Amino acid sequence: MTGAEPTADAGSTTDRTACRPDDLRTLFLFEKLSDPQLARLCADGHVQEYQPGPICVEGEPATCFYVLIEGELVMSKLSGGQDIETNRTSQRGVYCGAWQAFTGEAQQAYSTSVRVTRPSRFFVMDATAFARFMQEEFPMAVHLLDGIAVGTERTRRIIDNREKLLALGQLSAGLTHQLNNPAAATARAAAELRERVAGMRRKLAMLADGTVTPEALRGLVRLQEEVAAQVAKSVSATMTSIETADAEDAVGEWLQDHGVEDGWDIAPTFVEAGLDTDWLERIAAATDELDSSTSLEKALQWLTYTVEGELLLNQISEASKRISALVADAKQYSQMDRAPFQVADLHELLRSTLTMFADRLGAGPGRDTAITVVKEFDKSLPEIPCYPGDLNQVWTNIVDNAIAAMGEAGGTLTIRTCREGERMARVEICDTGPGVPDDIRERIFEPFFTTKPVGEGTGLGLDLASNIVVKKHRGDLRVESAPGDTRFIVLLPLQLPPAVDGALPE
């Protein structure tokens, strides 16, 4: 089989020439091969000269295996939307392109981009022919290398999944605590409401003995409706503690002046419902219009049950809404029932992650001061193509480190979004902790490297985050740090890379 023609992604070429075994023997990659092996390589490949320009492009189908005979090549990888040079060499025998074809994977892509800076000659071999040569001439080596590749990938997946489960376990404990509070509030309010309803039933017994006339009852029901409407739009929650205290004093004095027994006890309830002295005057005026069977005190006692019942229903409603919101945030965070790849709102992903950390951001055991969260979101950012569940894992790992860095002293966690040029979205997660020392800053993204005590960190969180951002999303992840100002910066493409058809690469 002869070597395939250069692919469309290659730079300008001249006519190819036949390959001679003696030429290949001078390259360190082939110097230990036998004469039959060298002859087979020459039969299946050829020598090609390339003019300055690209040889292969990262992400495109890997169709050819290249070995440099003479000239200079430059290797580069995409990071943060830019092509970053990773190697420049003129060493004879350096190889690139489909060098992993022998693993037998059905579809492979070039892992790096390669270009030549001056006219250069390469030994070129079709990827399929190269794979067959390796598998037939060096079967044991191929099995060993294939085993290493598969084992390494399997190990990484297992560890990555464990890292995700560890983070999810920590967050689920906090979420359970957050759910417990509104659930307990609902149970308490329901129990109290049951008591109020029982009291209202006893009040209805007044109808049986004729204590309240039908006309008076109709008047009380009208007052009930007006008071219930007021409770529904109560503004007491917007009052300061001083304003609330002043309002309670005013209502308590009014009730006392009008001879209402236990007036000071029911004053806080009326204020919470938004009923001030003006409202009490309206109730008094409406009561005066009723017959003598209904006094102001009786009317207020009747209405107190209504107010308390409505307030308890408000508590149940608000607690239920809080539970629903927490469940929705948990679903958004975990991306349940959603495709793994989709277009998503960065701000929604960040917000759902912060919700998962709500329990750890407040003051509590191990922290004397709460952590202040500042969100500076650029609302003009469009939705981006991404793996939302994986990005939530990135935010989780970085926010977790930020909280740990600020420690017992607390501090400020700032989440900032903006554009980075025309093609990238920028997310900054900043903390006011002591910073990352210069001597370890370059190592924090290495697997198994951690500054946490033994048993408290796997050293895989930032490595996982880096793989998700850089490899899976073709973005960039870096850190800038000084005492009191550490920033993890994530850059993500606003659009799919040109070489990707329908989804970002794994």
Side-chain angles (χ1 to χ4, degrees):
M1 174 181 177
T2 59
E5 294 291 339
T7 58
D9 60 343
S12 300
T13 63
T14 58
D15 293 338
R16 65 181 185 179
T17 59
C19 167
R20 296 187 304 172
D22 288 342
D23 291 336
L24 293 187
R25 199 187 305 277
T26 63
L27 305 176
F28 71 88
L29 190 63
F30 303 130
E31 60 185 1
K32 299 296 184 181
L33 298 187
S34 66
D35 290 340
Q37 289 172 327
L38 291 173
R40 179 175 179 178
L41 285 175
C42 285
D44 288 347
H46 63 274
V47 174
Q48 189 81 50
E49 182 172 335
Y50 291 88
Q51 300 302 313
I55 301 298
C56 55
V57 178
E58 179 183 355
E60 293 190 352
T63 57
C64 292
F65 171 65
Y66 302 91
V67 182
L68 181 63
I69 297 176
E70 62 178 357
E72 182 183 62
L73 64 81
V74 175
M75 296 183 182
S76 61
K77 289 188 69 67
L78 284 173
S79 178
Q82 298 180 343
D83 215 29
I84 306 301
E85 181 177 321
T86 59
N87 190 24
R88 181 184 292 260
T89 182
S90 57
Q91 181 179 0
R92 301 177 71 249
V94 169
Y95 55 90
C96 58
W99 63 274
Q100 291 180 306
F102 62 84
T103 60
E105 292 184 16
Q107 177 64 48
Q108 291 191 12
Y110 289 122
S111 59
T112 59
S113 295
V114 180
R115 60 184 173 87
V116 293
T117 59
R118 61 174 185 262
S120 303
R121 293 172 62 238
F122 286 85
F123 169 70
V124 183
M125 195 172 187
D126 178 76
T128 303
F130 172 63
R132 186 183 300 109
F133 174 82
M134 292 293 295
Q135 292 162 357
E136 294 178 359
E137 297 292 341
F138 308 102
M140 181 177 177
V142 168
H143 286 310
L144 289 173
L145 292 173
D146 209 11
I148 292 173
V150 172
T152 300
E153 179 62 22
R154 183 185 296 116
T155 300
R156 173 171 288 282
R157 289 184 181 275
I158 291 173
I159 293 176
D160 284 355
N161 287 336
R162 183 175 185 276
E163 182 73 13
K164 292 179 181 179
L165 289 174
L166 287 174
L168 189 59
Q170 291 178 338
L171 295 180
S172 64
L175 180 62
T176 300
H177 179 75
Q178 294 179 68
L179 287 170
N180 183 65
N181 289 337
T186 300
R188 287 194 302 269
E192 292 182 24
L193 183 60
R194 185 183 297 277
E195 295 179 7
R196 300 302 183 276
V197 172
M200 182 63 73
R201 288 198 300 268
R202 288 191 292 270
K203 288 294 181 183
L204 291 175
M206 295 165 57
L207 300 177
D209 58 18
T211 303
V212 179
T213 65
E215 180 183 356
L217 179 60
R218 283 192 292 269
L220 289 173
V221 170
R222 284 196 301 271
L223 285 175
Q224 277 184 313
E225 295 297 331
E226 294 180 15
V227 168
Q230 174 60 24
V231 174
K233 60 181 181 180
S234 172
V235 296
S236 61
T238 64
M239 298 170 61
T240 66
S241 57
I242 295 177
E243 290 172 338
T244 300
D246 290 343
E248 290 176 1
D249 288 342
V251 171
E253 290 174 0
W254 191 96
L255 294 171
Q256 186 180 49
D257 292 343
H258 288 74
V260 178
E261 186 179 353
D262 299 328
W264 287 100
D265 293 333
I266 63 176
T269 301
F270 280 8
V271 170
E272 184 181 355
L275 301 178
D276 55 15
T277 54
D278 290 339
W279 258 95
L280 293 177
E281 291 290 350
R282 291 174 58 188
I283 294 173
T287 305
D288 290 341
E289 296 177 1
L290 302 178
D291 58 49
S292 59
S293 66
T294 306
S295 66
L296 174 62
E297 184 172 9
K298 287 182 178 180
L300 290 175
Q301 289 174 349
W302 179 281
L303 294 175
T304 298
Y305 283 99
T306 299
V307 171
E308 291 176 336
E310 290 294 327
L311 289 174
L312 289 170
L313 286 173
N314 283 352
Q315 291 179 25
I316 293 172
S317 177
E318 289 302 315
S320 299
K321 289 178 182 177
R322 178 59 180 158
I323 291 173
S324 296
L326 285 169
V327 171
D329 284 333
K331 187 175 180 179
Q332 166 74 16
Y333 176 81
S334 64
Q335 294 298 305
M336 290 170 55
D337 303 326
R338 300 195 179 199
F341 174 81
Q342 61 183 281
V343 176
D345 186 337
L346 276 178
H347 301 135
E348 286 298 312
L349 301 182
L350 290 164
R351 187 185 60 79
S352 68
T353 300
L354 288 175
T355 298
M356 298 299 102
F357 277 101
D359 189 55
R360 294 180 56 193
L361 294 172
R367 181 179 296 109
D368 300 326
T369 307
I371 292 176
T372 301
V373 178
V374 176
K375 290 179 281 189
E376 299 176 1
F377 290 167
D378 180 356
K379 297 297 186 180
S380 69
L381 277 179
E383 294 184 336
I384 68 168
C386 63
Y387 294 93
D390 288 328
L391 286 186
N392 281 340
Q393 184 67 38
V394 173
W395 316 141
T396 297
N397 291 342
I398 298 176
V399 170
D400 179 65
N401 284 345
I403 293 174
M406 289 183 279
E408 297 181 7
T412 300
L413 176 69
T414 301
I415 313 293
R416 183 181 297 115
T417 65
C418 61
R419 287 178 181 266
E420 180 86 357
E422 295 296 322
R423 297 186 297 171
M424 308 297 287
R426 179 184 178 107
V427 178
E428 294 184 7
I429 300 178
C430 318
D431 68 73
T432 56
V436 182
D438 293 340
D439 58 336
I440 67 170
R441 195 171 303 165
E442 297 299 323
R443 299 189 59 199
I444 60 174
F445 296 111
E446 295 179 5
F448 303 107
F449 177 80
T450 180
T451 58
K452 295 179 180 178
V454 175
E456 293 187 15
T458 62
L460 295 168
L462 291 179
D463 172 58
L464 174 61
S466 179
N467 284 328
I468 290 172
V469 173
V470 177
K471 294 183 179 179
K472 203 164 188 178
H473 288 84
R474 296 195 173 187
D476 191 24
L477 173 60
R478 57 179 180 264
V479 61
E480 297 176 358
S481 184
D485 184 15
T486 296
R487 304 182 179 199
F488 279 85
I489 301 168
V490 179
L491 299 180
L492 296 165
L494 291 171
Q495 296 180 340
L496 287 173
V500 179
D501 183 16
L504 290 170
E506 288 286 353

